[in-house]
Amino acid sequence: MSAVLLRSRPDQTALRRIGVLSSRLYSSKPPRPTRLATSRALLLGQNSVPQCLASRAFVNSHHSIRHQSTTPESTDASRKSSFRNAFFKTFAYCGFFIVMSGAAVVAFFIYDATTYREHSSAEDIPVSELALNPRRGGPKNLPVADVLVGDYDSEAMTEQKDKPRLVILGTGWGSIALLKQLNPGDYHVTVVSPTNYFLFTPMLPSATVGTLGLRSLVEPVRRIVQRVNGHFLKGEAVDVEFSEKLVEVSGVDANGQKQNFYVPYDKLVIGVGCTTNPHGVKGLENCHFLKTIDDARQIKNQVLDNMELACLPTTTDEERKRLLSFVVCGGGPTGVEFAAELFDLLNEDLLYSFPKILRNEISVHIIQSRTHILNTYDEALSKYAEARFARDHVDVLTNSRVKEVRDDKVVFTQMEDGKPVLKEIPMGFCLWSTGVAEICKKLSAKLDSQNNKHALETDSHLRLIGAPLGDVYAIGDCSTVQNNVADHIVSFLRTIAWEKGKDPEKLHLTFREWRDVANRVKKRFPQASNHLRRLDRLFEQYDKDHSGTLEFGELSELLHQIDNKLTSLPATAQRANQQGEYLGRKLTKIAAALPGMRANEIDHGDLDEAVYKAFKYKHLGSLAYISNAAVFDFGGMNFSGGVLAMYLWRSVYFAESVSLRTRCMLAMDWAKRALFGRDLMSF
């Protein structure tokens, strides 16, 4: 028993050794390796050591090892390792980028090689004899293009040659928007225009000073027409025979001689645009206009030529100041943006490429007939634009009217103290950018129902008034939507009067009947919807005898007041684009509905109204560029700003560009301007 107790009793010598080892482990100085190894050997050799003490020694040994790993030598090694890893990662990423870039370049050249053809692609194709030798007919016995030379180019075109003929005149915003909405195969489409490209007009001012290239603003029409398997004829529409459904087109042959021919149609869309309105001002032959790509080229050449002439030693001081005086007649978006682009050219590029004295003698003037420039925008934005121009020393002359434009000066009157004062400005360049006048007088004279001398009147379905119902449409700047609500009062009341068996002029409308009439007005004239919101207030206001009903005279006065509040739609690209999209969707609906109606021998009557609602213009806002700044008018939300707003202005038009090709070219032009400056060559 005593022997067992003696063996279970802890060895005092071992305990002392463990105590020494623990003190060494907890000390700040690490123990010598030889002593530590000896202690470990002794501990392992003693089976009677308590387990808790052995565990404590084990934990403390780990603590000592962690303490040793934080020495300066190990920290430097870890830093070198991190730097080495970062270097290797950067090198790997750069290598990956170089390899991928090289692969992209190789892939591009492989694709480019596939676009070339070594062998001739000519093949035998069928062509109708009528396409090569068209028959003659019509009132003037001209060739009639019943069949076109491309009608048999593909199976799809062959199948749709017997479809309803849709002829589109013009290649502006409305026509292009219409083409994009059509479904291939619904119509036999033919586009007639003297220009074979679509022009992105909002960016024209940028092209006049070399910020953008002219080719960045145009898109070939044939590529757009190709989507619907259509045809394009380069010529000018000069007349329309409504009774025989023929469009007279004037083209130029190989000898430079004009040749006229007829193009038959089932549906005709007129979107020929407009020309500048002179407003009775003399001397507009001394002005430049900004409507076409040729106008932009001529303006750019004239601006640069004036600069070059001003540098010649033979040019006098007075002549130099005249050459460097730029006058813009019209304070609308086009005139303001051109003045802003011109100032940017003078301030950013010519300052470094031409003698500096030119910068001190250059002057830019804007002549505006209203009290503010950008008068269709919010007043705060107009004032911001004027303040911006005042800072840039651009002379804004408001309440001024141009009387005459001479070859060396502009004569105008300006209101001062309520009286017009005659003034003059020396001029080396003048841009006329005010008003529009449409070119459809010949068509208006043919139709008795046309009362507008400057535009083709259409109904709310964009159908030409006076032409056979559903055959002819007009969109864009050449047209105006008729909003004579009061003139149709009898037609609005006829249905209700017929139900009651009374004369429409003797009918008294209750509020419920008035609400029905208002709904009919909204349906036929969507633009009047904003003025027919509170029907109860209108009913109470015009029920002057407080009889609880509206008689014919009271209702007539109410609708006349709405007539006066309705304004003509603006002649803008936004309006033309919306009309084109609307008409494209409606023609698609008509094409889908016609076969079923014909198969069932249904007299569709007013098919436009049966398949689609009337056109309603929705103003999405206006924006304008102002010398490295921009203003935005989105109805209730208006704002302006500097460079960030300019980038937003660019992004809006970048998104509205017609194709991926033009977007890429716009981006490259803006990049070239930033890297190399504007194009200062005239040719």
Side-chain angles (χ1 to χ4, degrees):
M1 183 67 178
S2 61
V4 174
L5 292 173
L6 288 172
R7 281 196 297 269
S8 63
R9 187 179 300 169
D11 189 1
Q12 298 297 328
T13 304
L15 290 175
R16 284 196 298 271
R17 289 176 178 174
I18 291 173
V20 172
L21 179 61
S22 300
S23 63
R24 288 178 178 176
L25 290 173
Y26 278 99
S27 64
S28 59
K29 295 183 180 180
R32 295 180 181 179
T34 56
R35 296 289 299 273
L36 179 61
T38 305
S39 301
R40 285 181 177 176
L42 292 173
L43 288 171
L44 293 173
Q46 299 292 334
N47 295 330
S48 60
V49 178
Q51 187 66 26
C52 63
L53 295 177
S55 301
R56 182 177 179 183
F58 179 76
V59 173
N60 288 335
S61 67
H62 277 273
H63 176 77
S64 176
I65 293 172
R66 286 198 299 269
H67 180 75
Q68 289 179 0
S69 65
T70 58
T71 59
E73 293 81 1
S74 62
T75 303
D76 293 340
S78 63
R79 288 179 179 175
K80 291 180 180 179
S81 177
S82 300
F83 177 77
R84 190 183 302 110
N85 291 337
F87 175 77
F88 286 148
K89 287 182 179 180
T90 303
F91 185 78
Y93 289 146
C94 291
F96 178 77
F97 175 76
I98 293 173
V99 170
M100 293 303 296
S101 300
V105 172
V106 172
F108 170 77
F109 279 107
I110 293 175
Y111 166 76
D112 183 65
T114 62
T115 61
Y116 299 99
R117 294 186 178 181
E118 296 183 0
H119 305 287
S120 175
S121 59
E123 59 182 14
D124 293 334
I125 55 173
V127 179
S128 173
E129 183 66 23
L130 286 176
L132 301 177
N133 299 296
R135 69 176 180 89
R136 288 184 171 269
K140 298 181 181 179
N141 195 30
L142 298 175
V144 181
D146 292 314
V147 182
L148 300 177
V149 292
D151 278 339
Y152 296 91
D153 281 359
S154 64
E155 292 184 4
M157 299 182 77
T158 303
E159 291 176 358
Q160 69 182 29
K161 68 182 182 63
D162 296 325
K163 295 285 185 177
R165 294 176 175 272
L166 173 62
V167 177
I168 303 173
L169 306 182
T171 54
W173 281 92
S175 302
I176 298 303
L178 167 61
L179 287 169
K180 287 187 172 184
Q181 292 294 327
L182 292 177
N183 288 332
D186 285 348
Y187 294 94
H188 180 278
V189 180
T190 303
V191 179
V192 179
S193 176
T195 57
N196 61 354
Y197 56 83
F198 164 73
L199 175 61
F200 193 77
T201 51
M203 301 299 289
L204 261 183
S206 297
T208 60
V209 296
T211 304
L212 298 177
L214 298 177
R215 295 188 180 276
S216 301
L217 306 182
V218 294
E219 179 72 10
V221 170
R222 288 188 177 273
R223 292 183 180 176
I224 302 174
V225 174
Q226 186 179 4
R227 190 189 70 85
V228 293
N229 300 317
H231 306 270
F232 174 78
L233 299 176
K234 188 174 182 180
E236 182 180 1
V238 295
D239 201 358
V240 177
E241 299 296 338
F242 296 105
S243 59
E244 301 188 32
K245 293 188 176 182
L246 295 174
V247 179
E248 183 180 350
V249 179
S250 176
V252 180
D253 62 12
N255 299 321
Q257 301 295 324
K258 286 189 176 182
Q259 299 288 342
N260 288 15
F261 57 93
Y262 286 126
V263 177
Y265 69 87
D266 293 309
K267 288 187 178 295
L268 174 65
V269 179
I270 304 174
V272 294
C274 62
T275 57
T276 305
N277 189 351
H279 288 294
V281 177
K282 299 179 181 179
L284 290 190
E285 62 273 8
N286 299 316
C287 296
H288 289 268
F289 307 101
L290 191 53
K291 298 292 293 183
T292 66
I293 202 73
D294 290 332
D295 293 338
R297 183 185 295 108
Q298 292 175 9
I299 289 174
K300 179 184 176 184
N301 291 340
Q302 184 67 57
V303 170
L304 294 176
D305 288 346
N306 282 14
M307 298 292 176
E308 298 293 351
L309 290 173
C311 296
L312 296 179
T314 55
T315 303
T316 63
D317 289 342
E318 183 179 355
E319 180 67 9
R320 183 181 296 108
K321 291 181 180 179
R322 185 191 69 81
L323 288 171
L324 300 178
S325 175
F326 300 91
V327 180
V328 179
C329 299
T334 302
V336 167
E337 289 185 352
F338 172 76
E341 292 281 1
L342 182 61
F343 173 81
D344 291 342
L345 171 68
L346 305 178
N347 198 49
E348 296 174 2
D349 293 85
L350 299 184
L351 185 63
Y352 304 104
S353 303
F354 285 79
K356 293 185 178 180
I357 189 175
L358 267 64
R359 180 64 189 89
N360 295 334
E361 296 185 353
I362 285 174
S363 60
V364 181
H365 312 270
I366 300 177
I367 300 178
Q368 167 69 334
S369 60
R370 305 295 180 89
T371 55
H372 294 285
I373 59 174
L374 299 176
N375 59 288
T376 58
Y377 290 57
D378 185 81
E379 185 177 356
L381 299 180
S382 298
K383 291 182 178 179
Y384 173 84
E386 292 172 358
R388 189 88 181 187
F389 279 141
R391 187 204 68 176
D392 296 336
H393 303 290
V394 175
D395 187 21
V396 178
L397 303 169
T398 57
N399 296 318
S400 304
R401 292 186 177 275
V402 177
K403 292 295 183 181
E404 184 180 359
V405 180
R406 301 176 185 174
D407 57 353
D408 60 345
K409 67 179 67 174
V410 176
V411 181
F412 66 99
T413 59
Q414 187 174 27
M415 298 298 294
E416 294 183 359
D417 298 329
K419 297 181 180 180
V421 179
L422 190 65
K423 297 183 179 181
E424 296 179 352
I425 296 179
M427 176 270 294
F429 171 90
C430 181
L431 175 71
W432 186 265
S433 174
T434 174
V436 292
E438 291 70 15
I439 56 174
C440 300
K441 295 181 179 179
K442 183 180 290 187
L443 298 183
S444 297
K446 281 192 169 186
L447 302 173
D448 296 334
S449 302
Q450 292 287 325
N451 299 317
N452 195 316
K453 297 181 180 180
H454 304 292
L456 296 174
E457 290 183 323
T458 69
D459 62 9
S460 55
H461 283 271
L462 305 184
R463 296 171 296 192
L464 186 64
I465 295 176
L469 188 66
D471 286 350
V472 185
Y473 303 85
I475 58 177
D477 296 346
C478 69
S479 66
T480 180
V481 178
Q482 194 180 68
N483 287 320
N484 52 344
V485 180
D487 292 346
H488 291 77
I489 182 173
V490 176
S491 63
F492 292 140
L493 298 178
R494 185 176 291 121
T495 302
I496 299 176
W498 177 79
E499 293 175 355
K500 294 188 175 184
K502 296 182 179 180
D503 184 358
E505 296 188 7
K506 297 180 180 180
L507 187 66
H508 292 263
L509 298 181
T510 63
F511 178 75
R512 183 177 180 180
E513 293 168 339
W514 153 240
R515 187 168 54 188
D516 183 51
V517 171
N519 290 333
R520 294 174 187 270
V521 173
K522 292 178 183 179
K523 185 177 180 180
R524 186 159 186 176
F525 300 99
Q527 298 302 131
S529 300
N530 295 332
H531 305 287
L532 291 171
R533 291 179 177 176
R534 295 302 304 270
L535 299 180
D536 53 345
R537 291 184 179 179
L538 290 173
F539 187 88
E540 182 180 356
Q541 179 182 353
Y542 287 91
D543 182 17
K544 297 182 179 180
D545 57 0
H546 303 288
S547 62
T549 60
L550 288 178
E551 60 182 22
F552 183 85
E554 294 171 338
L555 183 60
S556 178
E557 183 181 355
L558 189 157
L559 296 181
H560 272 296
Q561 289 297 324
I562 295 176
D563 247 351
N564 295 333
K565 294 179 181 179
L566 294 178
T567 58
S568 299
L569 298 180
T572 60
Q574 182 181 158
R575 169 236 183 162
N577 185 72
Q578 290 186 24
Q579 288 182 330
E581 291 180 346
Y582 162 84
L583 190 55
R585 290 191 293 266
K586 182 166 70 172
L587 290 177
T588 301
K589 292 275 189 180
I590 292 176
L594 272 178
M597 291 184 172
R598 288 174 178 172
N600 295 291
E601 298 181 352
I602 298 176
D603 184 11
H604 49 76
D606 190 352
L607 186 57
D608 291 77
E609 191 169 352
V611 301
Y612 213 65
K613 58 186 178 181
F615 171 74
K616 182 179 181 181
Y617 172 71
K618 183 179 180 181
H619 185 63
L620 301 178
S622 303
L623 58 161
Y625 173 76
I626 306 175
S627 186
N628 295 332
V631 295
F632 298 83
D633 186 355
F634 295 137
M637 185 178 67
N638 308 318
F639 63 94
S640 56
V643 177
L644 292 179
M646 179 196 69
Y647 284 131
L648 179 60
W649 172 80
R650 284 184 178 180
S651 64
V652 170
Y653 283 138
F654 180 84
E656 290 294 326
S657 188
V658 69
S659 68
L660 177 62
R661 168 190 163 275
T662 54
R663 292 189 186 99
C664 292
M665 295 187 71
L666 284 175
M668 288 189 291
D669 283 344
W670 283 324
K672 286 190 295 183
R673 187 216 66 84
L675 295 174
F676 311 112
R678 292 175 174 84
D679 179 16
L680 301 181
M681 295 178 290
S682 58
F683 51 86

